[in-house]
Coordinates of all heavy atoms in Angstrom, one line a residue:
M1120 N -3.1 -23.7 1.2 CA -3.0 -22.3 0.9 C -3.8 -21.4 1.9 O -5.0 -21.8 2.2 CB -3.6 -22.1 -0.5 CG -3.5 -20.6 -1.0 SD -2.0 -19.9 -1.7 CE -1.3 -21.1 -2.8
K1121 N -3.2 -20.4 2.4 CA -3.9 -19.5 3.3 C -4.5 -18.3 2.6 O -4.2 -18.1 1.4 CB -2.9 -18.9 4.3 CG -2.1 -19.9 5.1 CD -3.0 -20.4 6.3 CE -2.1 -21.3 7.1 NZ -2.8 -21.8 8.2
L1122 N -5.5 -17.6 3.2 CA -6.1 -16.5 2.6 C -5.9 -15.3 3.5 O -6.0 -15.4 4.8 CB -7.6 -16.8 2.5 CG -8.0 -17.8 1.5 CD1 -9.4 -18.2 1.7 CD2 -7.8 -17.3 0.1
V1123 N -5.6 -14.1 2.9 CA -5.5 -12.9 3.7 C -6.9 -12.1 3.5 O -7.3 -12.0 2.4 CB -4.4 -12.0 3.1 CG1 -4.2 -10.7 3.9 CG2 -3.0 -12.8 3.2
L1124 N -7.4 -11.6 4.6 CA -8.5 -10.8 4.5 C -8.2 -9.3 4.5 O -7.5 -8.9 5.4 CB -9.4 -11.1 5.8 CG -10.6 -10.2 6.0 CD1 -11.6 -10.3 4.8 CD2 -11.3 -10.4 7.3
F1125 N -8.5 -8.6 3.4 CA -8.3 -7.2 3.3 C -9.7 -6.5 3.4 O -10.6 -6.8 2.8 CB -7.7 -6.9 1.9 CG -6.2 -7.4 1.7 CD1 -6.0 -8.6 1.1 CD2 -5.2 -6.7 2.4 CE1 -4.6 -9.0 0.9 CE2 -3.9 -7.1 2.1 CZ -3.6 -8.2 1.5
M1126 N -9.6 -5.5 4.3 CA -10.8 -4.7 4.5 C -10.6 -3.3 3.9 O -9.5 -2.7 3.9 CB -11.1 -4.5 6.0 CG -11.2 -5.7 6.8 SD -12.7 -6.6 6.5 CE -14.0 -5.4 6.9
F1127 N -11.7 -2.8 3.3 CA -11.7 -1.4 2.8 C -12.9 -0.6 3.5 O -14.0 -1.0 3.5 CB -12.1 -1.4 1.3 CG -11.2 -2.2 0.4 CD1 -11.3 -3.6 0.3 CD2 -10.2 -1.6 -0.4 CE1 -10.5 -4.3 -0.5 CE2 -9.4 -2.3 -1.2 CZ -9.6 -3.7 -1.3
M1128 N -12.6 0.5 4.0 CA -13.6 1.4 4.5 C -14.0 2.4 3.5 O -13.1 3.1 3.0 CB -13.3 2.1 5.8 CG -14.4 2.9 6.5 SD -14.0 3.7 8.1 CE -13.2 5.1 7.4
C1129 N -15.3 2.6 3.2 CA -15.7 3.4 2.1 C -16.8 4.4 2.7 O -17.4 4.0 3.6 CB -16.3 2.6 0.9 SG -15.2 1.5 0.2
A1130 N -16.9 5.6 2.0 CA -17.9 6.5 2.3 C -18.3 7.2 1.1 O -17.7 7.3 0.1 CB -17.4 7.5 3.3
V1131 N -19.5 7.8 1.1 CA -20.0 8.7 0.0 C -19.7 10.1 0.4 O -20.2 10.6 1.4 CB -21.5 8.4 -0.3 CG1 -22.0 9.3 -1.4 CG2 -21.8 7.0 -0.6
V1132 N -18.9 10.8 -0.4 CA -18.5 12.1 -0.2 C -18.8 13.0 -1.4 O -18.4 12.6 -2.6 CB -16.9 12.3 0.0 CG1 -16.6 13.7 0.2 CG2 -16.6 11.4 1.2
D1133 N -19.7 14.0 -1.3 CA -20.1 14.8 -2.4 C -20.6 14.0 -3.6 O -20.4 14.2 -4.7 CB -18.9 15.7 -2.9 CG -18.5 16.7 -1.8 OD1 -19.4 17.2 -1.0 OD2 -17.3 17.0 -1.8
G1134 N -21.4 12.9 -3.2 CA -22.1 12.1 -4.2 C -21.1 11.1 -4.9 O -21.5 10.3 -5.7
E1135 N -19.9 11.0 -4.4 CA -18.9 10.1 -5.0 C -18.5 9.1 -3.9 O -18.2 9.4 -2.8 CB -17.7 10.7 -5.5 CG -17.8 11.5 -6.8 CD -16.5 12.0 -7.3 OE1 -15.5 11.2 -7.3 OE2 -16.5 13.1 -7.8
T1136 N -18.3 7.8 -4.3 CA -17.8 6.8 -3.3 C -16.3 6.9 -3.3 O -15.7 6.9 -4.3 CB -18.2 5.4 -3.7 OG1 -19.7 5.3 -3.8 CG2 -17.7 4.4 -2.9
R1137 N -15.8 7.0 -2.1 CA -14.3 7.0 -1.8 C -14.0 5.9 -0.8 O -14.7 5.8 0.2 CB -13.9 8.3 -1.3 CG -14.2 9.4 -2.4 CD -13.5 10.7 -2.1 NE -13.9 11.7 -3.2 CZ -14.1 12.9 -3.0 NH1 -13.7 13.5 -1.8 NH2 -14.3 13.8 -4.0
C1138 N -12.9 5.2 -1.1 CA -12.5 4.2 -0.2 C -11.1 4.4 0.3 O -10.3 4.8 -0.5 CB -12.6 2.8 -0.8 SG -14.2 2.3 -1.3
M1139 N -10.9 4.1 1.6 CA -9.6 4.1 2.1 C -8.7 3.0 1.5 O -9.3 2.0 1.0 CB -9.5 4.0 3.6 CG -10.4 5.0 4.4 SD -9.6 6.7 4.4 CE -8.3 6.2 5.6
P1140 N -7.3 3.2 1.6 CA -6.5 1.9 1.1 C -6.9 0.7 1.9 O -7.3 0.9 3.2 CB -5.1 2.4 1.4 CG -5.2 3.9 1.4 CD -6.6 4.3 2.0
P1141 N -6.8 -0.4 1.4 CA -7.1 -1.6 2.2 C -6.1 -1.9 3.3 O -5.0 -1.4 3.2 CB -7.0 -2.8 1.1 CG -6.1 -2.2 0.1 CD -6.3 -0.7 0.1
Y1142 N -6.7 -2.6 4.3 CA -5.7 -2.9 5.4 C -5.9 -4.5 5.7 O -7.0 -5.0 5.5 CB -6.0 -2.2 6.7 CG -7.3 -2.1 7.2 CD1 -7.7 -3.1 8.3 CD2 -8.4 -1.3 6.8 CE1 -8.9 -3.1 8.9 CE2 -9.7 -1.3 7.3 CZ -9.9 -2.3 8.3 OH -11.2 -2.3 8.9
E1143 N -4.8 -5.1 6.0 CA -4.8 -6.5 6.3 C -5.4 -6.8 7.6 O -5.0 -6.3 8.6 CB -3.4 -7.1 6.2 CG -3.4 -8.6 6.3 CD -1.9 -9.1 6.3 OE1 -1.2 -8.7 5.4 OE2 -1.6 -10.0 7.0
T1144 N -6.4 -7.7 7.7 CA -7.1 -7.9 9.0 C -6.7 -9.2 9.6 O -6.5 -9.4 10.8 CB -8.6 -7.9 8.8 OG1 -9.0 -6.7 8.3 CG2 -9.4 -8.0 10.0
A1145 N -6.6 -10.3 8.8 CA -6.3 -11.6 9.3 C -5.8 -12.5 8.2 O -5.9 -12.2 7.0 CB -7.6 -12.2 9.9
I1146 N -5.2 -13.6 8.6 CA -4.8 -14.7 7.7 C -5.5 -15.9 8.2 O -5.5 -16.3 9.3 CB -3.2 -14.9 7.8 CG1 -2.5 -13.7 7.3 CG2 -2.9 -16.1 6.9 CD1 -1.0 -13.7 7.4
L1147 N -6.2 -16.5 7.2 CA -7.2 -17.5 7.5 C -6.9 -18.8 6.7 O -6.2 -18.8 5.7 CB -8.6 -17.0 7.3 CG -8.9 -15.9 8.3 CD1 -9.8 -14.8 7.6 CD2 -9.5 -16.3 9.6
N1148 N -7.5 -19.9 7.2 CA -7.2 -21.2 6.6 C -8.1 -21.5 5.3 O -7.7 -22.3 4.5 CB -7.4 -22.3 7.6 CG -6.4 -22.3 8.6 OD1 -5.2 -22.1 8.3 ND2 -6.8 -22.5 9.9
N1149 N -9.2 -20.9 5.2 CA -10.1 -21.3 4.1 C -11.0 -20.2 3.7 O -11.2 -19.1 4.5 CB -10.9 -22.6 4.4 CG -11.7 -22.5 5.6 OD1 -12.6 -21.7 5.7 ND2 -11.5 -23.4 6.6
H1150 N -11.8 -20.3 2.6 CA -12.6 -19.3 2.1 C -13.8 -19.0 3.0 O -14.2 -17.8 3.3 CB -13.1 -19.6 0.7 CG -13.9 -18.5 0.1 ND1 -13.3 -17.4 -0.4 CD2 -15.2 -18.4 -0.1 CE1 -14.3 -16.6 -0.9 NE2 -15.4 -17.1 -0.8
Y1151 N -14.4 -20.0 3.5 CA -15.5 -19.9 4.5 C -15.2 -19.1 5.7 O -15.9 -18.1 6.0 CB -16.0 -21.3 4.9 CG -17.1 -21.2 6.0 CD1 -18.5 -21.1 5.5 CD2 -16.9 -21.2 7.3 CE1 -19.5 -21.0 6.4 CE2 -17.9 -21.2 8.2 CZ -19.2 -21.0 7.7 OH -20.2 -20.9 8.7
D1152 N -14.0 -19.4 6.3 CA -13.6 -18.7 7.5 C -13.3 -17.2 7.2 O -13.6 -16.3 8.0 CB -12.3 -19.3 8.2 CG -12.6 -20.7 8.8 OD1 -13.8 -21.0 9.1 OD2 -11.6 -21.4 9.0
C1153 N -12.7 -17.0 6.0 CA -12.5 -15.6 5.6 C -13.7 -14.8 5.4 O -13.8 -13.7 5.8 CB -11.6 -15.7 4.3 SG -10.8 -14.0 4.0
M1154 N -14.6 -15.4 4.7 CA -15.9 -14.7 4.5 C -16.6 -14.4 5.8 O -17.1 -13.3 6.0 CB -16.9 -15.5 3.6 CG -16.4 -15.7 2.2 SD -16.1 -14.3 1.3 CE -17.7 -13.6 1.1
V1155 N -16.7 -15.3 6.7 CA -17.4 -15.1 8.0 C -16.7 -14.0 8.8 O -17.3 -13.1 9.4 CB -17.4 -16.4 8.9 CG1 -17.9 -16.1 10.3 CG2 -18.4 -17.4 8.2
R1156 N -15.3 -14.0 8.8 CA -14.6 -13.0 9.5 C -14.7 -11.7 8.9 O -14.9 -10.6 9.5 CB -13.0 -13.4 9.4 CG -12.1 -12.4 10.2 CD -12.2 -12.7 11.7 NE -11.1 -11.9 12.3 CZ -9.9 -12.4 12.7 NH1 -9.7 -13.8 12.6 NH2 -9.0 -11.8 13.3
G1157 N -14.8 -11.6 7.6 CA -15.0 -10.3 6.8 C -16.4 -9.7 7.2 O -16.4 -8.5 7.5
Y1158 N -17.4 -10.5 7.2 CA -18.8 -10.0 7.6 C -18.7 -9.5 9.0 O -19.3 -8.5 9.4 CB -19.9 -10.9 7.3 CG -20.1 -11.1 5.8 CD1 -19.9 -12.2 5.1 CD2 -20.7 -10.0 5.1 CE1 -20.1 -12.4 3.8 CE2 -20.9 -10.1 3.8 CZ -20.7 -11.3 3.0 OH -21.0 -11.4 1.8
N1159 N -18.2 -10.3 9.9 CA -18.2 -10.0 11.3 C -17.3 -8.8 11.6 O -17.8 -7.9 12.5 CB -17.7 -11.2 12.2 CG -18.8 -12.3 12.3 OD1 -19.9 -12.1 12.2 ND2 -18.3 -13.5 12.4
E1160 N -16.2 -8.7 11.0 CA -15.4 -7.5 11.2 C -16.1 -6.2 10.6 O -15.9 -5.2 11.2 CB -14.1 -7.7 10.4 CG -13.0 -6.6 10.6 CD -12.6 -6.3 12.0 OE1 -12.7 -7.3 12.9 OE2 -12.1 -5.2 12.3
S1161 N -16.8 -6.4 9.6 CA -17.5 -5.2 9.0 C -18.6 -4.8 10.0 O -18.7 -3.5 10.3 CB -18.3 -5.6 7.7 OG -17.4 -5.9 6.7
I1162 N -19.3 -5.6 10.6 CA -20.3 -5.3 11.6 C -19.6 -4.6 12.8 O -20.1 -3.6 13.4 CB -21.1 -6.5 12.0 CG1 -22.0 -7.0 10.8 CG2 -22.0 -6.2 13.2 CD1 -22.6 -8.3 11.1
R1163 N -18.5 -5.3 13.3 CA -17.8 -4.7 14.5 C -17.4 -3.3 14.2 O -17.5 -2.4 15.1 CB -16.6 -5.6 14.8 CG -15.9 -5.3 16.1 CD -14.9 -6.3 16.4 NE -13.6 -6.0 15.7 CZ -12.8 -5.0 15.9 NH1 -13.1 -4.1 16.9 NH2 -11.7 -4.9 15.3
Q1164 N -16.8 -3.1 13.0 CA -16.4 -1.7 12.7 C -17.5 -0.7 12.6 O -17.4 0.5 13.1 CB -15.5 -1.7 11.4 CG -14.1 -2.4 11.5 CD -13.2 -1.7 12.5 OE1 -13.3 -0.5 12.6 NE2 -12.4 -2.5 13.1
L1165 N -18.6 -1.0 11.9 CA -19.7 -0.2 11.9 C -20.3 0.2 13.2 O -20.6 1.3 13.5 CB -20.8 -0.9 11.0 CG -20.6 -0.9 9.5 CD1 -21.7 -1.8 8.9 CD2 -20.6 0.5 8.9
E1166 N -20.3 -0.8 14.1 CA -20.8 -0.6 15.5 C -19.9 0.3 16.3 O -20.2 1.2 17.0 CB -21.0 -1.9 16.2 CG -22.2 -2.7 15.7 CD -22.4 -4.0 16.4 OE1 -21.4 -4.5 17.0 OE2 -23.5 -4.6 16.3
K1167 N -18.6 0.2 16.0 CA -17.5 1.0 16.7 C -17.6 2.5 16.1 O -17.5 3.4 17.0 CB -16.2 0.4 16.3 CG -15.0 1.1 17.0 CD -13.7 0.4 16.6 CE -12.5 1.1 17.1 NZ -11.3 0.4 16.7
I1168 N -17.9 2.7 14.9 CA -18.0 4.1 14.3 C -19.4 4.7 14.8 O -19.3 5.9 15.2 CB -18.0 4.0 12.8 CG1 -16.6 3.5 12.4 CG2 -18.3 5.3 12.2 CD1 -16.5 3.2 10.9
G1169 N -20.4 3.9 14.9 CA -21.7 4.4 15.4 C -22.6 4.8 14.4 O -22.3 5.2 13.3
V1170 N -23.9 4.8 14.8 CA -25.0 5.0 13.9 C -25.0 6.5 13.2 O -25.1 6.6 12.0 CB -26.3 5.0 14.6 CG1 -27.5 5.3 13.7 CG2 -26.5 3.5 15.1
E1171 N -24.7 7.5 14.1 CA -24.7 8.8 13.6 C -23.6 9.1 12.5 O -24.0 9.6 11.3 CB -24.5 9.8 14.8 CG -24.6 11.3 14.3 CD -24.5 12.2 15.5 OE1 -25.1 11.9 16.5 OE2 -23.9 13.2 15.2
E1172 N -22.5 8.6 12.7 CA -21.3 8.8 11.8 C -21.5 7.9 10.5 O -21.3 8.4 9.4 CB -20.0 8.5 12.4 CG -18.8 9.0 11.7 CD -18.7 10.5 11.7 OE1 -19.2 11.2 12.6 OE2 -18.1 11.1 10.8
V1173 N -22.1 6.7 10.7 CA -22.3 5.9 9.5 C -23.4 6.5 8.7 O -23.2 6.5 7.4 CB -22.7 4.4 10.0 CG1 -23.2 3.6 8.9 CG2 -21.5 3.8 10.7
N1174 N -24.4 6.9 9.3 CA -25.6 7.5 8.4 C -25.1 8.8 7.8 O -25.4 9.1 6.6 CB -26.7 7.7 9.3 CG -27.5 6.5 9.6 OD1 -27.4 5.5 8.9 ND2 -28.2 6.4 10.7
K1175 N -24.4 9.6 8.5 CA -24.0 11.0 8.0 C -23.1 10.9 6.8 O -23.3 11.6 5.8 CB -23.2 11.7 9.2 CG -22.7 13.0 8.8 CD -21.9 13.7 9.9 CE -21.1 14.9 9.4 NZ -20.2 15.4 10.5
N1176 N -22.1 9.9 6.8 CA -21.2 9.8 5.8 C -21.4 8.5 4.9 O -20.6 8.2 4.1 CB -19.7 9.7 6.4 CG -19.4 11.0 7.1 OD1 -19.3 12.0 6.5 ND2 -19.2 10.9 8.4
Q1177 N -22.5 7.9 5.1 CA -22.9 6.7 4.3 C -21.7 5.7 4.2 O -21.2 5.2 3.2 CB -23.4 7.1 2.9 CG -24.6 7.9 2.9 CD -25.0 8.4 1.6 OE1 -24.8 7.6 0.6 NE2 -25.6 9.6 1.4
I1178 N -21.1 5.4 5.4 CA -20.0 4.6 5.5 C -20.4 3.1 5.3 O -21.4 2.7 5.8 CB -19.2 4.7 6.9 CG1 -18.7 6.2 7.0 CG2 -18.2 3.6 7.1 CD1 -18.2 6.5 8.3
Y1179 N -19.5 2.4 4.6 CA -19.7 0.9 4.5 C -18.3 0.3 4.3 O -17.3 0.9 4.1 CB -20.7 0.6 3.3 CG -20.1 0.9 2.0 CD1 -19.4 0.0 1.2 CD2 -20.3 2.2 1.5 CE1 -19.0 0.4 -0.1 CE2 -19.9 2.6 0.2 CZ -19.3 1.6 -0.6 OH -18.8 2.0 -1.8
F1180 N -18.3 -1.1 4.5 CA -17.0 -1.7 4.4 C -17.1 -2.8 3.3 O -18.2 -3.4 3.1 CB -16.8 -2.5 5.7 CG -16.3 -1.6 6.8 CD1 -17.2 -0.9 7.6 CD2 -14.9 -1.4 7.0 CE1 -16.7 0.1 8.5 CE2 -14.5 -0.5 7.9 CZ -15.3 0.3 8.7
R1181 N -16.0 -2.9 2.6 CA -15.9 -4.0 1.6 C -14.8 -4.9 2.0 O -13.8 -4.4 2.8 CB -15.5 -3.4 0.2 CG -16.5 -2.5 -0.4 CD -16.1 -2.0 -1.7 NE -15.1 -2.8 -2.5 CZ -14.1 -2.4 -3.1 NH1 -13.7 -1.1 -3.1 NH2 -13.3 -3.2 -3.8
F1182 N -14.7 -6.1 1.6 CA -13.6 -7.0 2.0 C -13.3 -7.9 0.8 O -14.2 -8.2 0.0 CB -13.8 -7.7 3.3 CG -14.9 -8.6 3.4 CD1 -14.7 -10.0 3.0 CD2 -16.2 -8.2 3.7 CE1 -15.8 -10.8 3.1 CE2 -17.2 -9.1 3.9 CZ -17.1 -10.4 3.5
V1183 N -12.1 -8.5 0.8 CA -11.7 -9.4 -0.2 C -10.8 -10.5 0.5 O -10.0 -10.1 1.4 CB -11.1 -8.8 -1.4 CG1 -9.7 -8.1 -1.0 CG2 -10.8 -9.8 -2.6
C1184 N -11.0 -11.8 0.1 CA -10.1 -12.8 0.6 C -9.2 -13.2 -0.5 O -9.6 -13.6 -1.6 CB -11.0 -13.9 1.0 SG -12.2 -13.6 2.3
Q1185 N -7.9 -13.0 -0.3 CA -6.9 -13.1 -1.4 C -5.9 -14.3 -1.0 O -5.4 -14.2 0.2 CB -6.1 -11.9 -1.6 CG -5.2 -11.9 -2.8 CD -4.6 -10.6 -3.1 OE1 -4.6 -9.7 -2.2 NE2 -4.1 -10.4 -4.3
E1186 N -5.6 -15.2 -1.8 CA -4.7 -16.3 -1.6 C -3.4 -15.8 -1.4 O -2.9 -14.8 -1.9 CB -4.7 -17.3 -2.7 CG -6.0 -18.2 -2.7 CD -5.9 -19.3 -3.8 OE1 -4.9 -19.4 -4.5 OE2 -6.9 -20.0 -3.9
T1187 N -2.6 -16.4 -0.4 CA -1.2 -16.1 -0.2 C -0.4 -17.3 0.1 O -0.9 -18.4 0.4 CB -1.2 -15.1 1.1 OG1 0.2 -14.8 1.3 CG2 -1.7 -15.8 2.3
N1188 N 0.8 -17.2 -0.1 CA 1.8 -18.3 0.2 C 2.3 -18.2 1.7 O 3.0 -19.1 2.0 CB 3.0 -18.2 -0.7 CG 2.6 -18.6 -2.2 OD1 1.7 -19.4 -2.4 ND2 3.2 -18.0 -3.1
I1189 N 1.9 -17.2 2.4 CA 2.3 -17.1 3.8 C 1.8 -18.3 4.5 O 0.6 -18.7 4.4 CB 1.8 -15.7 4.4 CG1 2.3 -14.6 3.8 CG2 2.0 -15.7 6.0 CD1 1.6 -13.2 4.2
D1190 N 2.6 -18.8 5.4 CA 2.3 -20.0 6.2 C 2.2 -19.7 7.7 O 2.8 -20.3 8.5 CB 3.3 -21.1 6.0 CG 2.8 -22.5 6.4 OD1 1.6 -22.6 6.5 OD2 3.6 -23.3 6.7
K1191 N 1.3 -18.7 8.0 CA 1.1 -18.3 9.4 C -0.1 -19.1 9.9 O -1.0 -19.4 9.1 CB 0.8 -16.8 9.5 CG 2.0 -15.8 9.5 CD 1.5 -14.5 9.8 CE 2.5 -13.4 9.7 NZ 2.0 -12.2 9.9
G1192 N -0.2 -19.2 11.2 CA -1.4 -19.8 11.9 C -2.3 -18.7 12.1 O -2.1 -17.5 11.9
V1193 N -3.6 -19.1 12.3 CA -4.6 -18.0 12.5 C -4.8 -17.7 13.9 O -4.4 -18.4 14.8 CB -6.0 -18.6 12.0 CG1 -6.0 -18.4 10.5 CG2 -6.3 -19.9 12.4

C-alpha cells in the first residue's frame, strides 16, 4: 500500500487560523518516508516564503499521510 502526502499551508488572519486546500506532494512507500518528506517539505516551503512573510502572517504547514491504492513509484 502506498501513501499520499497532502500538504496544507495555514496562516493566522485576524486571529483566526485559515488553511488553503490541501495539495498532493508525493506518493511514498511507507509511513516513515512520508513523515520525513512532510517535515522536509514544510521546512523547504517556509524557507522559500521567507522569515518576514512567515512571521507577518504566522504561516505554518500541516501535512497528512493517507493510504491509497495507487501503484505509482516514488
Side-chain angles (χ1 to χ4, degrees):
M1120 178 81 49
K1121 303 281 186 179
L1122 295 164
V1123 178
L1124 172 62
F1125 289 101
M1126 302 289 300
F1127 303 79
M1128 184 175 86
C1129 303
V1131 177
V1132 179
D1133 297 328
E1135 284 189 40
T1136 299
R1137 297 193 180 148
C1138 297
M1139 301 285 288
Y1142 60 95
E1143 182 181 321
T1144 304
I1146 297 173
L1147 299 140
N1148 290 318
N1149 58 60
H1150 186 74
Y1151 176 86
D1152 290 345
C1153 193
M1154 295 302 294
V1155 169
R1156 181 77 171 261
Y1158 285 115
N1159 287 331
E1160 182 66 19
S1161 296
I1162 291 167
R1163 190 177 78 74
Q1164 290 297 329
L1165 288 170
E1166 289 174 340
K1167 185 177 174 181
I1168 293 167
V1170 174
E1171 187 176 317
E1172 197 67 26
V1173 169
N1174 287 335
K1175 177 182 168 190
N1176 295 298
Q1177 299 179 34
I1178 294 171
Y1179 64 95
F1180 285 84
R1181 294 178 36 221
F1182 64 89
V1183 65
C1184 299
Q1185 186 173 20
E1186 288 186 358
T1187 181
N1188 290 325
I1189 297 172
D1190 192 24
K1191 282 187 183 177
V1193 285

